[in-house]
Amino acid sequence: MNSWLALSILALVCWGITGNTQKISTNHISTQLSFIAFSLAFVPVGVAALLLLPEGVHATRLVWALGILSGILNGLGALTSFAAFSAGAKSSVAVPVMYLAPLITVLMARLFLHEQISVAQWAGIFLAPVSAWLLSMESN
Amino acid sequence: MGGYSRGRLMPRWLLLTMMTTLLWGVWGFEAKLVVDRATPFAAQVMFTAGMLMLGAAVLFSRDRYRGVNRARGVFYAVLTGILGGVGNVFFLIALQNGKASIIVPLTSLAPVVTVLVGVTVMREKVNRYQVVGLALALVAIFLLSL
C-alpha cells in the first residue's frame, strides 16, 4: 500500500473516532467542560505549528482577524456538536449530518466567489437534505 | 433521545446538529479565505488563538464543572482534540505525497468509522430510515468532496 493511502486511512479513522469520543465525553461531563478540555488539546498543535515557523507569523491585521474568526467558527461548531450529543444525539446519526457541512461551503463559494459547481456536487447538494431528513427520523 | 421542546419544530439534538453543520460549513468557506492569504502553519496558529479565545469565554459559563465522572469525561474530550489534530497531520502529510482528488473524497468518509464504532462498540440503535439516510449521506458527502 502507498504511504499516502495508509496515512489517508489513518486520518479517516482518527476523524471518525472523534465522533464517538465526543459522545462518550458528554455522557460524563457538561458540554462546556467537554469543549474546554477539547480546545486545550489544540495548544500543543498550535505550539508545534509556531515552532515550525522560526520567522514567526507575518500577516496583516485582516488575515489575523480572518484566522482568529476561523478558529472561533470551528470552535462554535465543536461547541454545538458537544451540545447536540449532550442533548441525546447518537454519534452514528448526528455525525453523518454534521459531515454534510461542505454543502454550505460549496453553496457559499458559488455565491460569493463565483466558483463553478460540478455535476457531482449538484447531485450531492440535492441528496444531502434528503439524507439528513431520513437520518433525523427517530422512532419514539 | 431528547424530546421536542415547547415551541420547537424539531428535537433539540437535531437543531444543535444542524447548527453544527451550518457553522462548520461557513467555517469551510471562511478558512479558504485564510489559507489563500497565509501558510497552513500560520493559519493553524491563528486558528488555535481563535479556538482558545472561545474556550476562555466558555470558562465563565455557569455549568462548566458539571459532570458525573469528570476524569473520564475530560479524558475523552482531550482524546477528541488529540485525534482530530493527529488526523489533520496525517491528512496534510498524505496531501504532500498523494493526489488530493483521491485523498479528499476518501477521508470525507470518516463517518463510516463513527457509525461502525457507534453501532458495534457503543450499541447505538439505528432504524431502517436512518440506515437509508446514512447510505445517502455517505454518497452525498463523497459527491460534495469531488
Side-chain angles (χ1 to χ4, degrees), chain B residues 55-77:
Chain B
V58 174
L59 265 178
F60 291 98
S61 161
R62 197 180 51 184
D63 290 335
R64 63 192 182 278
Y65 295 130
R66 188 171 52 81
V68 287
N69 189 340
R70 265 186 242 161
R72 193 173 163 83
V74 167
F75 169 77
Y76 279 103

Side-chain angles (χ1 to χ4, degrees), chain B residues 71-83:
Chain B
R72 193 173 163 83
V74 167
F75 169 77
Y76 279 103
V78 171
L79 185 62
T80 302
I82 291 171
L83 282 172

Side-chain angles (χ1 to χ4, degrees), chain A residues 3-4 13 15 23-24 30 34 46 51 58 66 76 78 98-99 102 115 123 127:
Chain A
S3 65
W4 61 264
V13 171
W15 287 341
K23 173 68 184 171
I24 299 172
S30 67
S34 295
L51 292 174
H58 296 291
L66 286 171
L76 281 172
M98 291 169 187
Y99 263 73
E115 287 185 3
L127 215 50

Side-chain angles (χ1 to χ4, degrees), chain A residues 13-37:
Chain A
V13 171
C14 284
W15 287 341
I17 291 173
T18 60
N20 307 111
T21 51
Q22 263 193 296
K23 173 68 184 171
I24 299 172
S25 171
T26 57
N27 284 346
H28 299 288
I29 52 174
S30 67
T31 299
Q32 292 89 336
L33 185 54
S34 295
F35 178 74
I36 291 165

Side-chain angles (χ1 to χ4, degrees), chain A residues 3-5 7-43 45-50 52-53 57-59 62-106 108-109 112-113 115 118 120-121 123-125 127-128 130-140, chain B residues 1-4 11-14 16-34 36-55 58-59 61-74 76-91 93-95 97-99 102-103 106-115 117-119 122 124-127 129-134 136-141 143-146:
Chain A
S3 65
W4 61 264
L5 185 58
L7 286 164
S8 303
I9 293 169
L10 280 172
L12 177 147
V13 171
C14 284
W15 287 341
I17 291 173
T18 60
N20 307 111
T21 51
Q22 263 193 296
K23 173 68 184 171
I24 299 172
S25 171
T26 57
N27 284 346
H28 299 288
I29 52 174
S30 67
T31 299
Q32 292 89 336
L33 185 54
S34 295
F35 178 74
I36 291 165
F38 165 79
S39 58
L40 283 177
F42 278 83
V43 174
V45 182
V47 170
L50 202 55
L52 288 165
L53 286 165
V57 181
H58 296 291
L62 173 69
V63 176
W64 263 104
L66 286 171
I68 289 171
L69 180 63
S70 170
I72 292 173
L73 275 171
N74 189 282
L76 281 172
L79 191 60
T80 52
S81 67
F82 275 116
F85 291 124
S86 194
K90 294 175 188 170
S91 61
S92 50
V93 172
V95 172
V97 177
M98 291 169 187
Y99 263 73
L100 292 171
L103 165 75
I104 309 294
T105 310
V106 166
M108 284 184 77
F112 298 109
L113 301 177
E115 287 185 3
S118 66
Q121 286 174 324
I125 287 168
L127 215 50
V130 179
S131 65
W133 176 67
L134 286 166
L135 280 164
S136 71
M137 293 182 84
E138 196 64 52
S139 38
N140 290 306
Chain B
M1 194 55 59
Y4 288 72
R12 185 174 154 76
W13 71 264
L14 183 58
L16 288 161
T17 299
M18 289 191 160
M19 278 173 67
T20 305
T21 309
L22 180 68
L23 282 163
W24 281 347
V26 176
W27 167 72
F29 172 78
E30 203 269 346
K32 180 177 164 49
L33 302 179
V34 180
D36 281 350
R37 293 165 174 82
T39 64
F41 288 123
Q44 185 62 42
V45 172
M46 298 172 199
F47 173 87
T48 305
M51 179 76 87
L52 288 177
M53 280 180 192
L54 189 64
V58 174
L59 265 178
S61 161
R62 197 180 51 184
D63 290 335
R64 63 192 182 278
Y65 295 130
R66 188 171 52 81
V68 287
N69 189 340
R70 265 186 242 161
R72 193 173 163 83
V74 167
Y76 279 103
V78 171
L79 185 62
T80 302
I82 291 171
L83 282 172
V86 170
N88 288 348
V89 172
F90 287 148
F91 177 71
I93 300 172
L95 278 180
N97 302 300
K99 290 180 182 172
I102 298 173
I103 294 165
L106 176 67
T107 52
S108 72
L109 297 175
V112 173
V113 175
T114 313
V115 175
V117 175
V119 172
M122 297 166 71
E124 290 182 346
K125 296 269 185 283
V126 183
N127 65 37
Y129 298 108
Q130 289 171 329
V131 170
V132 177
L134 175 64
L136 289 182
L138 292 175
V139 174
I141 293 165
L143 290 171
L144 284 165
S145 69
L146 290 175

